[in-house]
Amino acid sequence: MILFVRDLTVIDAAYLCPHRGVVGESWLVDVELTGELNEMSMLFDFSRVKKQLKAIIDAEVDHRLLIPQKASETMIEPAAAGYLFVDFLSEEHTIHLNCPEQAFAVILAAEISTETVTDYLLTLIRDQLPGNIDGLKITLRHEHIPTPSYHYTHGLKKHDGNCQRIAHGHRSMIELWVDGARDHALEQYWATRWQDIYLGTEEDLVSVAELELSETGQELVSDQQHYCFRYTSAQGDFQLAIPKESCEIIDTDTTVELLASYIAAQLKPQLGEKELKVVAYEGVGKGAIEVL
C-alpha cells in the first residue's frame, strides 16, 4: 500500500554554488510512504504525516543556507560556542559567514541539488517512522512558472521567526501590469536583474573591520570587493561578506511588501501617468501587491 501527500510543505532556503554563488531556492515537497496497514487500517494518519514529517523538513532545511560539505570550495570550522565560520572559495565567488549553527544545513555532498537534499532528508526521517512503514519517497520539485522568475537571498533581522537568518532565499515569479496588461519585457528585466541576487539592507552594511571572520575570511575580504553585513536578532549575531556584483542594496528591509514597493518606485518614473501594479512573490503562492 502507498500513502501520498502532495505539497506537504515548501522549502525556502539558499545554497552555495561555485558557479552561481549564493542561490535562493524554493522547492515543493511531495512524500510517499509504503508499508502494511496498522491496527487502525491506516499506513500512517494523515494528520501525523503533515505534522511530523513537515516539522522535520521545516526544522532541518527550511530557511537555512545549505552547505555542500564535500565541495572543494567549502571550508567549515567552529567559531564561538554555537557558531560556525563558513568560507566558500570558488574562482568566481568568495563568500564568508559567521552565524549561529542553526542558520546552516551541512549536507555531506559535493554539490547541493534536489537529489542530495532528498538524501539528507531521507536519512533524517527514516528512523522516526513507525514500524509498519518500510518505504519512504521524497520528491523536491519546482513550482511551474511559465513567465520570468528570479532567485534571491536575504535576511530579515526584525523577523521573530527563521526569516531572520541572514542567508535564506526564494525562487519567485513576478507579475508587472501596466494599464491592466502584463508587461513581459519588464518582467524579464527584473528576472535578469535579480537572478541569483543577494538583497541587502543598507542599514546592515558594515566595514570589513567590523566583522569577526575566520582567518581565511580576514585574508580574502576587502571593502573594495565585498559588501559586508552584520546584525543581531533574536537567534544571535549574523555576519556575511559577499561579492558586490552579487548584491543589490535596498534602503529598507527586504520584506516582500517593501520589495514590491521598491520595484514599483524604480519603475514608476519611466511610466508617467500609466497605472503600474507590481505582484511580487516570496517563494510559492504568497507575496505582496503594490499599485501606483
Side-chain angles (χ1 to χ4, degrees):
M1 180 64 70
I2 299 174
L3 185 76
F4 66 89
V5 179
R6 305 273 164 75
D7 300 334
L8 175 66
T9 190
V10 177
I11 297 170
D12 286 312
Y15 66 90
L16 294 174
C17 173
H19 308 295
R20 298 172 63 185
V22 59
V23 182
E25 190 60 273
S26 297
W27 289 306
L28 290 153
V29 182
D30 304 327
V31 298
E32 290 184 4
L33 302 167
T34 58
E36 301 296 328
L37 301 185
N38 61 20
E39 66 279 0
M40 296 184 292
S41 300
M42 298 178 177
L43 273 179
F44 200 21
D45 189 289
F46 276 119
S47 65
R48 291 185 61 197
V49 173
K50 292 179 179 179
K51 290 179 182 178
Q52 185 175 342
L53 273 64
K54 182 180 185 303
I56 295 170
I57 294 169
D58 290 350
E60 298 296 335
V61 294
D62 188 49
H63 284 76
R64 293 186 183 230
L65 178 63
L66 313 182
I67 312 295
Q69 185 177 21
K70 295 178 70 175
S72 60
E73 296 85 2
T74 300
M75 298 177 63
I76 304 171
E77 58 183 293
Y83 285 72
L84 291 176
F85 291 127
V86 174
D87 297 290
F88 195 70
L89 312 179
S90 73
E91 292 183 5
E92 300 176 42
H93 306 271
T94 70
I95 299 166
H96 311 269
L97 300 104
N98 178 1
C99 299
E101 292 179 1
Q102 70 264 30
F104 306 114
V106 180
I107 311 292
L108 190 63
E111 65 176 358
I112 300 299
S113 65
T114 54
E115 292 78 15
T116 58
V117 176
T118 297
D119 289 343
Y120 178 74
L121 290 172
L122 288 171
T123 300
L124 292 173
I125 293 172
R126 279 195 184 110
D127 291 342
Q128 301 192 45
L129 295 174
N132 64 306
I133 303 298
D134 58 23
L136 170 64
K137 179 181 178 181
I138 298 175
T139 301
L140 305 186
R141 58 183 171 84
H142 283 135
E143 174 192 24
H144 175 63
I145 302 177
T147 53
S149 62
Y150 46 71
H151 299 252
Y152 75 92
T153 305
H154 67 152
L156 300 172
K157 65 179 178 296
K158 298 171 187 174
H159 194 267
D160 59 3
N162 294 334
C163 290
Q164 67 191 264
R165 294 167 180 170
I166 201 167
H168 73 279
H170 312 275
R171 173 182 179 263
S172 301
M173 66 182 293
I174 183 170
E175 298 175 25
L176 297 173
W177 298 77
V178 179
D179 280 347
R182 288 281 293 272
D183 191 320
H184 295 298
L186 283 181
E187 291 172 356
Q188 185 59 63
Y189 167 78
W190 280 93
T192 302
R193 177 168 167 171
W194 279 4
Q195 186 64 25
D196 300 338
I197 197 75
Y198 185 84
L199 299 177
T201 297
E202 187 173 17
E203 70 177 14
D204 299 331
L205 282 170
V206 298
S207 68
V208 171
E210 296 173 82
L211 293 186
E212 299 171 0
L213 298 176
S214 68
E215 290 186 6
T216 299
Q218 292 174 37
E219 293 175 1
L220 295 178
V221 175
S222 71
D223 287 318
Q224 290 72 39
Q225 295 181 339
H226 293 80
Y227 282 127
C228 299
F229 302 93
R230 185 173 187 174
Y231 58 74
T232 300
S233 61
Q235 291 186 4
D237 182 17
F238 293 88
Q239 304 180 50
L240 167 68
I242 188 167
K244 289 184 175 181
E245 62 267 23
S246 301
C247 295
E248 184 160 337
I249 305 300
I250 310 295
D251 60 359
T252 65
D253 293 326
T254 56
T255 63
V256 70
E257 296 91 338
L258 291 177
L259 293 180
S261 297
Y262 177 81
I263 293 170
Q266 294 277 305
L267 288 175
K268 184 60 176 174
Q270 71 191 64
L271 297 175
E273 297 301 313
K274 295 179 180 179
E275 182 186 79
L276 170 66
K277 181 170 77 170
V278 177
V279 184
Y281 286 76
E282 185 184 69
V284 178
K286 62 187 190 296
I289 299 173
E290 177 71 288
V291 179
L292 293 179

